[in-house]
Amino acid sequence: MMKKLYEGKAKILYSTDNAEVLLTHFKDDATAFNAQKRGTIAQKGKMNCQITVALFQWLESKGIPTHLIEQSADDEILVKRVKIIPIEVVVRNIAAGSLCRQTGLEEGHELPFPLVEYYLKNDELGDPLLTCDRLLILELATEEQLKQLQTLALSINQHLQELFASCQITLVDFKLEFGIDTQGQILLADEISPDTCRLWDQTQSDPERRVMDKDRFRRDLGQVETAYQQVQKRIVDRLASYEA
Amino acid sequence: MMKKLYEGKAKILYSTDNAEVLLTHFKDDATAFNAQKRGTIAQKGKMNCQITVALFQWLESKGIPTHLIEQSADDEILVKRVKIIPIEVVVRNIAAGSLCRQTGLEEGHELPFPLVEYYLKNDELGDPLLTCDRLLILELATEEQLKQLQTLALSINQHLQELFASCQITLVDFKLEFGIDTQGQILLADEISPDTCRLWDQTQSDPERRVMDKDRFRRDLGQVETAYQQVQKRIVDRLASYEA
Ligand SMILES: Nc1ncnc2c1ncn2[C@@H]1O[C@H](COP(=O)(O)OP(=O)(O)O)[C@@H](O)[C@H]1O
Ligand SMILES: Nc1ncnc2c1ncn2[C@@H]1O[C@H](COP(=O)(O)OP(=O)(O)O)[C@@H](O)[C@H]1O
Ligand SMILES: [Mg+2]
Ligand SMILES: [Mg+2]
């Protein structure tokens, strides 16, 4: 018997007959600016589900442990239930978004090394940036876990950069969530999609045209569905060509 | 010949006949919340000058290199001219202020270890919190300098905690500025005063009464001058007793 456990901004979690397995339903709802802006992106649930499955399978094939079990419908996946670490792990290759607003760095500035950042997953506090020391003081993770998160985040970044580059997409930055499974292992959880990444089309030079992610929705650039479709198509085609 | 070089929120800098020496004049002006709140605290210039001189001499006696040369008037000091590193180094022993607002920690929570934090000294950006990686990417300091800043900050914290504790004052947190002198050495610069520290009177348990610092001005608690006077008197008396 399925029971709704949690409805978030972009997904709904259901319990399943197996206590260790959850069903994640991807919604078409879109929110931005800590849910002050709300809307719908047609077909987003299916597209983000498909993209997440493709990327998580790619990462699993590279040795990254993830929560993904299998896709159970166009907009549904079965996942291993984990205890989510309440941190948004953000990896940045190019300066954009809050990094620019907070530091004065220009959007598009190539960072000298991939920046792994931690934000408290807390909508009331506005997902504040955490230093490593703050993270330890808040007891959100141990020093050992923090090291593991950083290693995983950097490794995921390398594998995703490789895949996106082969799709002529620049991986500007992205957000990850991790959880602890019943064996105490850290698994990559949640989703990776144009909702949670900044992706720039390398075949476009115009700074608005190149945007292939939720920034189209945030900044009212239009053609949101088309952009998500393009991301989905390029990734799926690329992975099919690898399998062939 | 003296020339006004810079007028800040709390002090005025003048050049002197010696290119390597500046004169710092301490003003009675008080500002808070990034200068949105403005006022005057009677005698503050003289009190903060006296307190800064006492604390910097105490730290020099403990081996901390500072910019202080000598006091030249009640509200004036001569200092070595440095290139200020544009970072506010904050040391926290007890949670208060922006740490609480940003993380949800309760005011008064004793931190498990002294927290050294870095904020960009930039009023336009609102002095944002920096992670170590952001600080390096912005090229505000080298990795080597960052290590030195942390070591100095922790050592200053220990020496100040010792002195304040002997005055029955709890050193909750404080802000430091450092600069590079003509020999390339890092010196403690600027000031240390009730404008730049949170100080709680250990003889008072009431959370408003115990406040002995600029929070009285920020939060309109009244008796601001009296609090600054008390800090000055206790430190001066204590240091006199050490000398005797
Ligand atoms: N494997 C998992 N086990 C338990 N919770 C998960 C798992 N994967 C993701 N989650 C959580 O499920 C929720 C997904 O819904 P979402 O709409 O993204 O929520 P939110 O609005 O909180 O971001 C998130 O809170 C996420 O942390
Ligand atoms: N030894 C020094 N050499 C050069 N500049 C200094 C020195 N000590 C402090 N300063 C700078 O002098 C200014 C002091 O004035 P203040 O009123 O505190 O300015 P602000 O409003 O910028 O904080 C600060 O900008 C500080 O960084
Ligand atoms: Mg989410
Ligand atoms: Mg100042």
Side-chain angles (χ1 to χ4, degrees):
Chain A
M1 214 199 59
M2 273 180 34
K3 228 182 73 186
K4 197 197 242 194
L5 296 180
Y6 175 78
E7 173 151 6
K9 298 185 290 290
K11 301 184 290 297
I12 307 176
L13 291 187
Y14 298 92
S15 66
T16 67
D17 290 337
N18 182 336
E20 293 191 11
V21 176
L22 297 181
L23 187 147
T24 305
H25 170 85
F26 288 75
K27 303 196 287 183
D28 292 344
D29 297 352
T31 66
F33 311 118
N34 204 2
Q36 288 172 275
K37 178 170 184 166
R38 289 169 181 280
T40 297
I41 300 170
Q43 304 297 318
K44 178 168 83 78
K46 288 178 188 173
M47 295 187 289
N48 279 0
C49 183
Q50 177 72 66
I51 294 167
T52 293
V53 168
L55 297 178
F56 276 51
Q57 284 175 345
W58 167 257
L59 291 170
E60 283 277 359
S61 80
K62 301 292 182 179
I64 305 288
T66 83
H67 72 157
L68 182 66
I69 299 170
E70 62 177 12
Q71 188 165 4
S72 49
D74 280 355
D75 52 5
E76 285 179 7
I77 52 176
L78 293 171
V79 300
K80 291 179 202 153
R81 181 182 211 141
V82 296
K83 218 175 146 293
I84 291 286
I85 301 171
I87 298 173
E88 306 207 328
V89 179
V90 171
V91 184
R92 301 176 180 277
N93 296 304
I94 292 177
S98 66
L99 176 63
C100 296
R101 285 195 303 278
Q102 288 168 15
T103 63
L105 278 172
E106 268 193 71
E107 172 162 294
H109 177 88
E110 271 204 42
L111 301 176
F113 53 85
L115 193 52
V116 181
E117 304 199 310
Y118 308 94
Y119 296 81
L120 183 61
K121 195 169 152 61
N122 183 318
D123 288 338
E124 264 170 69
L125 295 172
D127 294 346
L129 177 68
L130 293 171
T131 60
C132 291
D133 281 346
R134 285 191 179 192
L135 194 156
L136 294 174
I137 282 175
L138 293 172
E139 295 181 0
L140 299 174
T142 63
E143 247 175 294
E144 174 58 30
Q145 286 174 330
L146 188 55
K147 261 187 222 151
Q148 275 180 273
L149 290 181
Q150 204 201 0
T151 306
L152 281 167
L154 287 172
S155 166
I156 291 166
N157 183 46
Q158 283 204 328
H159 298 308
L160 291 182
Q161 273 192 315
E162 186 201 324
L163 180 64
F164 279 115
S166 75
C167 299
Q168 294 189 280
I169 294 174
T170 300
L171 181 59
V172 175
D173 58 37
F174 58 99
K175 184 268 292 177
L176 301 172
E177 292 182 29
F178 294 90
I180 319 264
D181 72 9
T182 43
Q183 277 89 60
Q185 212 203 350
I186 296 185
L187 301 184
L188 176 64
D190 207 51
E191 66 176 290
I192 306 180
S193 73
D195 271 11
T196 65
C197 300
R198 280 199 175 85
L199 303 170
W200 291 352
D201 188 345
Q202 293 173 357
T203 71
Q204 301 284 344
S205 55
D206 181 82
E208 295 201 344
R209 283 213 185 163
R210 68 183 172 191
V211 175
M212 302 181 85
D213 56 64
K214 200 166 77 172
D215 273 347
R216 297 206 77 83
F217 169 76
R218 284 192 195 93
R219 294 158 53 187
D220 292 316
L221 300 178
Q223 302 259 315
V224 189
E225 292 99 87
T226 320
Y228 279 54
Q229 265 165 20
Q230 261 300 311
V231 173
Q232 177 179 1
K233 182 173 166 18
R234 290 198 205 171
I235 293 173
V236 169
D237 287 356
R238 172 57 54 205
L239 292 176
S241 82
Y242 284 150
E243 273 157 33
Chain B
M1 213 198 61
M2 274 180 34
K3 227 182 73 185
K4 198 197 242 193
L5 296 179
Y6 175 77
E7 174 151 6
K9 297 186 291 290
K11 301 185 290 297
I12 307 176
L13 291 187
Y14 298 93
S15 65
T16 66
D17 291 336
N18 183 335
E20 293 191 13
V21 175
L22 297 180
L23 187 147
T24 306
H25 170 85
F26 288 76
K27 303 195 287 182
D28 291 346
D29 298 351
T31 65
F33 310 117
N34 203 3
Q36 288 172 276
K37 177 170 184 167
R38 291 169 179 278
T40 297
I41 300 171
Q43 303 296 319
K44 179 169 80 79
K46 288 178 187 171
M47 296 188 288
N48 278 2
C49 183
Q50 179 73 65
I51 294 166
T52 293
V53 168
L55 297 178
F56 275 51
Q57 284 175 345
W58 168 257
L59 291 171
E60 282 278 359
S61 80
K62 301 292 182 179
I64 304 288
T66 83
H67 72 159
L68 181 66
I69 299 169
E70 62 177 12
Q71 188 165 2
S72 48
D74 279 356
D75 53 4
E76 285 179 6
I77 51 175
L78 293 171
V79 301
K80 290 179 202 154
R81 181 181 211 141
V82 296
K83 220 175 144 293
I84 292 286
I85 301 172
I87 299 173
E88 306 207 327
V89 179
V90 171
V91 184
R92 302 176 180 277
N93 297 303
I94 292 177
S98 65
L99 176 64
C100 296
R101 285 196 302 279
Q102 288 168 14
T103 63
L105 278 172
E106 268 194 72
E107 172 162 295
H109 176 88
E110 270 204 43
L111 301 176
F113 53 84
L115 193 51
V116 181
E117 305 199 310
Y118 308 94
Y119 295 81
L120 184 60
K121 195 170 154 58
N122 183 319
D123 289 338
E124 262 170 70
L125 295 171
D127 293 347
L129 177 68
L130 292 172
T131 60
C132 291
D133 281 346
R134 286 191 178 191
L135 194 157
L136 296 174
I137 282 175
L138 293 173
E139 295 181 0
L140 300 174
T142 63
E143 248 176 293
E144 174 58 29
Q145 287 174 330
L146 188 54
K147 261 187 221 150
Q148 276 181 271
L149 290 181
Q150 204 201 1
T151 306
L152 282 166
L154 286 172
S155 167
I156 292 166
N157 183 46
Q158 283 204 327
H159 299 308
L160 292 182
Q161 274 192 314
E162 187 201 325
L163 180 63
F164 279 114
S166 75
C167 300
Q168 295 189 281
I169 295 174
T170 299
L171 180 60
V172 175
D173 58 37
F174 58 99
K175 183 268 292 177
L176 301 172
E177 292 183 30
F178 293 91
I180 318 263
D181 72 8
T182 44
Q183 277 88 61
Q185 211 202 350
I186 295 186
L187 302 184
L188 176 62
D190 208 50
E191 67 176 290
I192 306 180
S193 72
D195 271 12
T196 65
C197 301
R198 279 199 175 84
L199 303 170
W200 291 352
D201 188 346
Q202 292 174 358
T203 71
Q204 301 284 343
S205 56
D206 181 83
E208 295 199 344
R209 282 214 185 162
R210 69 183 172 190
V211 175
M212 302 181 86
D213 57 63
K214 200 165 79 173
D215 273 348
R216 297 206 78 83
F217 169 77
R218 282 192 196 93
R219 294 158 54 187
D220 292 317
L221 300 178
Q223 302 259 316
V224 189
E225 292 99 87
T226 321
Y228 279 54
Q229 264 164 21
Q230 262 300 310
V231 173
Q232 177 179 0
K233 181 172 168 17
R234 289 198 206 172
I235 293 172
V236 169
D237 287 355
R238 173 58 53 204
L239 291 177
S241 82
Y242 283 151
E243 274 158 32

